[in-house]
Amino acid sequence: MEKEVMSSLKMAGNILCSASSFIRKCIFGVLRVGPIPNHIAFIMDGNRRYAKKQKLSHDGAAGGGGRYDAGFWALMVMLLYCQELGVKYITAYAFSIDNFKRKPEEVESLMTSMLEKFHLLDILVKLLAVRVHYAGNLELLSNELRASAMELTEATAAYSKSVLTICIAYTSRDEILHAVRESCEQKRIDLEFGNDDDDEIKLMKVEKNMYMAVAPDPDIIIRTGGENRLSNFLLWQSCWSHLHSMWVLWPEIGVWNLVFAILNFQRNKTYCLDMKKKEKEL
């Protein structure tokens, strides 16, 4: 009797899953009639509130799997949905330089969680043919974490179906400072060796030295958790980005949240395009 019940439940689960997949494909098909963003960036806010809500400790001891596990899987689900929709570039704000100011045990817990996820992330992105890029001041990370990040970046460099950029030890101010310093140093070397007689630093050179040079400017920046600020994220690149804030906490983000964000973008895309054209004409 128990086997029959379990079999029936499994069958019902498969039917519901198939129905959900069919509905999602239909919705995505409708969305693709309009313009699909090339690049979506996520500010993954609300992890601590989710942990408090679910009574999870920093290391996820309660309930087996904490807020960082839930946040990781939320990112993987968004990556799958974006790939299915045809969004090539996905960027996630995983850890700000300012986050190092949090309690040491919380920072250590997050870093440990990141290390634990590298092997799993390596398997998933290779299955999906996703190139992984880490943006930020990686010198601030531990040797082990930095080496793992560089190893995954090199291992996926040949993939081109999607590009997942994970911003870690990142702030936009630090990125701009880094780009200006690199551009000045390159110009100094060029002038010293006679490779260039123009002492002016071009905008293009600065942009090439940005941590985010691997991706175009984001079409949409989605922030979960109900806040309406960029929090030092992609300040240089977000000039004409569509900003979309949602109340849902990051680990709870779902397909409908993504659908509404893209619909909102499609409704405002004409304005953003006009602004970009005017900027290029100047």
Side-chain angles (χ1 to χ4, degrees):
M1 181 67 179
E2 185 179 347
K3 287 184 178 180
E4 290 177 1
V5 171
M6 291 301 294
S7 179
S8 298
L9 287 173
K10 186 177 180 180
M11 187 179 297
N14 290 336
I15 291 170
L16 287 171
C17 186
S18 298
S20 174
S21 178
F22 174 74
I23 293 169
R24 187 182 73 250
K25 286 179 180 178
C26 290
I27 293 168
F28 283 5
V30 173
L31 277 179
R32 280 193 288 266
V33 173
I36 293 297
N38 188 38
H39 182 183
I40 297 179
F42 295 96
I43 300 177
M44 304 185 294
D45 194 15
N47 286 293
R48 286 198 286 185
R49 278 172 282 169
Y50 174 81
K52 187 176 181 181
K53 180 180 174 182
Q54 300 295 328
K55 295 182 172 58
L56 299 172
S57 63
H58 291 319
D59 60 2
R67 57 173 168 156
Y68 302 131
D69 292 335
F72 171 79
W73 287 113
L75 178 59
M76 292 301 100
V77 169
M78 286 299 108
L79 175 62
L80 281 167
Y81 288 158
C82 286
Q83 196 173 74
E84 189 176 339
L85 267 167
V87 179
K88 182 167 184 178
Y89 297 91
I90 302 95
T91 298
Y93 198 6
F95 191 82
S96 165
I97 291 175
D98 296 329
N99 291 151
F100 282 112
K101 298 174 184 176
R102 292 181 178 179
K103 294 178 181 178
E105 60 270 21
E106 185 178 352
V107 174
E108 185 180 353
S109 175
L110 178 54
M111 294 301 166
T112 301
S113 179
M114 285 183 183
L115 269 174
E116 292 171 349
K117 297 295 184 297
F118 269 111
H119 179 64
L120 185 56
L121 183 60
D122 179 63
I123 295 170
L124 291 172
V125 296
K126 286 178 180 177
L127 283 172
L128 298 170
V130 176
R131 177 186 174 188
V132 178
H133 169 71
Y134 286 88
N137 189 350
L138 303 187
E139 292 300 318
L140 297 177
L141 304 177
S142 67
N143 292 334
E144 188 179 7
L145 190 55
R146 183 169 60 254
S148 297
M150 293 174 67
E151 185 179 336
L152 186 56
T153 299
E154 291 172 6
T156 60
Y159 297 136
S160 59
K161 190 172 181 180
S162 300
V163 179
L164 172 63
T165 300
I166 300 174
C167 294
I168 180 172
Y170 172 94
T171 64
S172 194
R173 288 177 179 176
D174 179 72
E175 178 185 32
I176 294 168
L177 182 60
H178 163 81
V180 171
R181 281 175 173 168
E182 287 294 309
S183 301
C184 289
E185 179 62 16
Q186 289 167 8
K187 177 61 68 174
R188 184 191 67 78
I189 293 171
D190 287 342
L191 290 172
E192 185 177 331
F193 289 93
N195 298 326
D196 193 347
D197 57 2
D198 184 4
D199 60 359
E200 182 182 352
I201 297 174
K202 305 294 184 184
L203 178 63
M204 189 181 299
K205 288 288 186 182
V206 176
E207 291 186 333
K208 282 184 178 178
N209 285 309
M210 290 283 181
Y211 296 139
M212 288 295 299
V214 71
D217 293 348
D219 298 294
I220 310 176
I221 296 180
I222 295 175
R223 177 163 189 154
T224 56
E227 298 291 345
N228 292 291
R229 60 179 187 272
L230 288 173
S231 295
N232 217 342
F233 179 58
L234 303 185
L235 301 181
W236 183 281
Q237 298 86 354
S238 60
C239 185
W240 303 116
S241 301
H242 175 70
L243 307 179
H244 186 87
S245 175
M246 54 184 70
W247 283 101
V248 66
L249 304 178
W250 172 252
E252 298 173 331
I253 191 171
V255 64
W256 286 109
N257 302 115
L258 182 63
V259 167
F260 288 137
I262 293 175
L263 283 172
N264 212 345
F265 160 77
Q266 291 177 340
R267 188 182 64 178
N268 292 282
K269 189 171 189 296
T270 304
Y271 171 78
C272 293
L273 278 176
D274 288 344
M275 292 299 101
K276 285 181 181 179
K277 286 178 181 177
K278 288 179 181 179
E279 186 182 51
K280 288 179 180 179
E281 289 170 0
L282 294 175

